[in-house]
Amino acid sequence: MAFCKYCGAQLEDGQECTCARSQEAKQAEQAAHQTAQTAGQQTAQQAQQAASAATATAVAAAKGLKPYLTGYLKSPSQAVRTVVQNNDMATAVALTVIRALAFGLAIWGIINKLVNTVMSTATMLGGSDMLGVSVSSNFFGSLLWGIISAVVFMALFVVVVFALNRLMKGNADIKSIYIASAANGVVTSALLLVSFILSFISLGLAIAILALACISWVIYGVLTAQMLCPDNTTGKFWLLYLVGVAILFVIGYYVLPSFFLNALGGVSISMMGQATITLKQTIDQIQLALAQSGGWMNALMEIFGNL
């Protein structure tokens, strides 16, 4: 036997009370349900509209790349100036994505070739001892850390050129600098893609082209800076630009090894298809053992002491 929680009237099983308070509560519940349903529909519609807008933007950017690249081949400086004047963020973002992906692919290609080369050499030297041992690179891990590296240094370069522009009494905003920097990365992106392709053929060539791509990044950075900075032929301009590049190299010296180790850390080693360990896990175990033994020097002293 049930009772109404508002008026206390006795109710049959499944019966609803008809008192005023019970009806008000029922109406309030129905209104809340309707409101939640309407909000859910609106959220779904907004998400669908946002996805459609993002798709349209991506399609527009892809369509805009072909005429831009055609114009860039005819006159790089004029093509970049046009993109900056038109405030063409879609083209800049598309070119940024291409460069970041190209760098990530190049990093993965080099790591994959390195792993295959090491494995082939080890198999040749170890013979039957290497049977059942397999080493594989992590495509998504290497690609991700390559993309992160590219994005970080593209952002740092934009900051360097912005600081240079202000020191040279220029008035370019950071958005214009980003657009110009992204638009000037066509040659660098092309070299990165060539490095990725060559990684299937020769490790040495792939690394050489990757280094050339990094050099082109700096060279074309000069064109970006000159385009946006006044007095861009003076000794002051060149000195400040070289200082900025030197700062980037110093940052890269301390940061890039960590990024590369994270990309390399995804390499996995398995024995007879059973136990699998990644290179990062191995490195972490070595670092832990070194920390427990008091560092490299103590570990080396212990090794030589046991000889």
Side-chain angles (χ1 to χ4, degrees), residues 72-298:
Y72 189 88
L73 291 175
K74 293 179 180 178
S75 175
S77 59
Q78 183 56 48
V80 175
R81 288 182 187 279
T82 301
V83 170
V84 174
Q85 290 169 359
N86 294 339
N87 199 27
D88 192 352
M89 181 62 79
T91 297
V93 171
L95 291 168
T96 299
V97 171
I98 291 172
R99 197 189 325 182
L101 284 173
F103 191 79
L105 287 172
I107 293 297
W108 173 78
I110 289 172
I111 289 176
N112 187 59
K113 185 65 174 179
L114 178 63
V115 167
N116 292 336
T117 302
V118 171
M119 190 61 192
S120 299
T121 304
T123 302
M124 186 184 304
L125 298 175
S128 60
D129 292 338
M130 296 301 296
L131 293 176
V133 178
S134 63
V135 183
S136 59
S137 59
N138 185 330
F139 172 74
F140 290 107
S142 301
L143 180 67
L144 175 62
W145 282 104
I147 290 173
I148 291 174
S149 303
V151 171
V152 166
F153 279 92
M154 280 189 280
L156 287 173
F157 182 79
V158 169
V159 172
V160 166
V161 176
F162 179 75
L164 173 62
N165 184 268
R166 287 294 180 267
L167 290 172
M168 295 301 296
K169 309 301 181 183
N171 57 3
D173 58 18
I174 200 160
K175 184 179 179 182
S176 298
I177 293 172
Y178 162 69
I179 292 174
S181 178
N184 244 332
V186 174
V187 173
T188 301
S189 298
L191 288 171
L192 290 170
L193 290 173
V194 171
S195 174
F196 166 64
I197 294 171
L198 287 177
S199 67
F200 294 96
I201 303 171
S202 168
L203 180 62
L205 281 176
I207 294 175
I209 297 300
L210 178 63
L212 183 61
C214 294
I215 294 172
S216 75
W217 201 327
V218 176
I219 293 174
Y220 280 89
V222 174
L223 300 179
T224 301
Q226 286 184 319
M227 183 180 299
L228 299 168
C229 294
D231 299 329
N232 51 42
T233 58
T234 62
K236 179 183 177 181
F237 169 84
W238 286 105
L239 177 62
L240 290 174
Y241 182 79
L242 291 175
V243 169
V245 171
I247 292 173
L248 286 180
F249 274 114
V250 171
I251 294 174
Y253 176 80
Y254 288 102
V255 174
L256 277 180
S258 175
F259 286 166
F260 185 75
L261 281 177
N262 278 291
L264 195 62
V267 173
S268 59
I269 306 168
S270 62
M271 302 287 293
M272 304 297 292
Q274 300 295 324
T276 301
I277 184 171
T278 64
L279 191 57
K280 187 177 187 308
Q281 290 172 330
T282 304
I283 294 171
D284 289 342
Q285 290 177 1
I286 293 173
Q287 290 177 337
L288 178 61
L290 286 172
Q292 291 174 344
S293 63
W296 284 98
M297 292 303 298
N298 287 339

Side-chain angles (χ1 to χ4, degrees), residues 26-85:
K26 182 179 179 181
Q27 291 173 359
E29 183 180 351
Q30 290 176 343
H33 177 73
Q34 182 65 32
T35 301
Q37 188 176 20
T38 303
Q41 291 174 348
Q42 291 177 345
T43 301
Q45 290 175 352
Q46 290 172 353
Q48 185 176 6
Q49 291 172 354
S52 299
T55 302
T57 302
V59 171
K63 289 181 179 179
L65 279 179
K66 184 177 179 180
Y68 170 74
L69 293 175
T70 302
Y72 189 88
L73 291 175
K74 293 179 180 178
S75 175
S77 59
Q78 183 56 48
V80 175
R81 288 182 187 279
T82 301
V83 170
V84 174
Q85 290 169 359

